[in-house]
Amino acid sequence: MILPINSAKNNIYFSAENNKKSQEKNTEEKGKQLPYSKDTPLKNNFATRTRIAFDKFTNALTLYPAKGIKGSRNSNFYEFLTMGSVPYIIGSLMLMSVFNSANKHFDVFSKTKAGPIGNKMALGVLFYGIAKHISKSFVNTPVKALTGVDVNIPYAKFVNEHPEYVDDTDLTSIEYHKVYESVDFPYWNMLINENNGKPRNEYFDKIAKKLGMGTNLNDSDQEVKPLIKEIVTKTRTATNLSSYLWAATGVALAFQDPWEDFFKVMTLKFWDKKKFFKAAETFKDSLVDSAKALYHGEGKGLQKHAGKILLGAAVASSLLGVINVMNISGKPSKLSAGDVIDKKEKYVVN
């Protein structure tokens, strides 16, 4: 019998079986350095979304550009898409400062004219992003409540990377994706319970019940999957259409005259409590007054009612989007065989 020889630094084995176990152990230990050692479903809550956004943004600023510049073979399409947030944010900051940065070169009269416009543009960019992001929940939240389908379920993907140098082994990384990222090929395995004491199709059973398909179905996953795909497709279309209307409403809100009262006292010096709380209170009042100004409008005809029309279109797009999602074409009829077959008649089965 050949026994393994142990060393303080390395474990050297003459047995092929033991050598395999050693490699698996080393891989497992390296995997533990990352927050996940396999594809892992995540809870869709504020804390998770914030952490994912922070990780993706910091990687987009540092790690992913470096890999692309040096021509890493592990630089992929996911990293390319993630880096798209950087020019978006930089462009937004430039647009916010385009008037304000040049103010110091203007005369006194020009400053009084350019200042409010620059501040409104900066506020408009901020409100555009906020309204576009938040408005998606106006469709996603009702759809989840009515159907049980959360189109934004996140998961962490454990990636085994290619070795870049001769001595590289077990290179791994984490990517953040969504279960329904691909409508044609959702990651169904993330929704199935595996060896945790719960029913295997618990997720699909809940959706089937929500959709009025009954309980204790033999293959609820097979019954529900086509309906989920339809719900996801319609929900994404509704959120894309409505989010831009809400974003436009946010920009229109930022260009109302009452904001000029806030611009006179605004400050980011939170250590000066008196001025900071005064600015916060003025912001609240200006927000309410600007909303009223947008709704009631000024002038005559279309100009007076433009705010109402824009706000109504945004609300209608979200509402109609949810209604369209609930109109599920593939949903089976609730009619039973007893509702269709007349027992008084005779039937022949060929």
Side-chain angles (χ1 to χ4, degrees), residues 203-224:
Y203 175 81
F204 301 104
D205 291 340
K206 290 180 179 179
I207 294 178
K209 185 177 179 180
K210 283 272 189 181
L211 297 178
M213 300 173 63
T215 58
N216 299 322
L217 301 178
N218 291 331
D219 297 303
S220 59
D221 55 337
Q222 299 302 318
E223 296 287 344
V224 168

Side-chain angles (χ1 to χ4, degrees), residues 307-331:
K308 295 186 184 71
I309 294 173
L310 181 58
L311 180 60
V315 173
S317 64
S318 297
L319 182 61
L320 293 176
V322 175
I323 294 174
N324 182 55
V325 172
M326 295 309 300
N327 184 26
I328 305 173
S329 60
K331 186 176 178 180

Side-chain angles (χ1 to χ4, degrees), residues 96 118-128 250-251 253-255 259 262-263 283:
M96 293 171 72
N119 290 330
K120 288 179 180 178
M121 286 185 65
L123 197 63
V125 172
L126 184 63
F127 280 7
Y128 176 93
V251 174
L253 178 65
F255 273 82
W259 285 112
F262 167 69
F263 297 146
F283 177 87

Side-chain angles (χ1 to χ4, degrees), residues 336-345 347:
S336 63
D339 298 323
V340 178
I341 299 175
D342 187 354
K343 297 181 179 180
K344 296 181 180 179
E345 301 292 334
Y347 297 90

Side-chain angles (χ1 to χ4, degrees), residues 132 135-141 143 149-155 177-188 228-244 317-318 321-322 324-326:
K132 188 172 182 291
S135 63
K136 293 181 180 181
S137 64
F138 299 163
V139 176
N140 293 335
T141 302
V143 168
V149 178
D150 183 359
V151 299
N152 295 314
I153 302 175
Y155 75 93
H177 295 268
K178 295 180 180 179
V179 172
Y180 299 119
E181 195 167 80
S182 170
V183 179
D184 293 325
F185 304 101
Y187 199 167
W188 297 120
I228 292 178
K229 289 184 178 181
E230 181 179 344
I231 291 171
V232 171
T233 302
K234 289 183 176 181
T235 301
R236 285 183 179 168
T237 302
T239 53
N240 288 335
L241 292 175
S242 65
S243 63
Y244 284 103
S317 64
S318 297
V322 175
N324 182 55
V325 172
M326 295 309 300

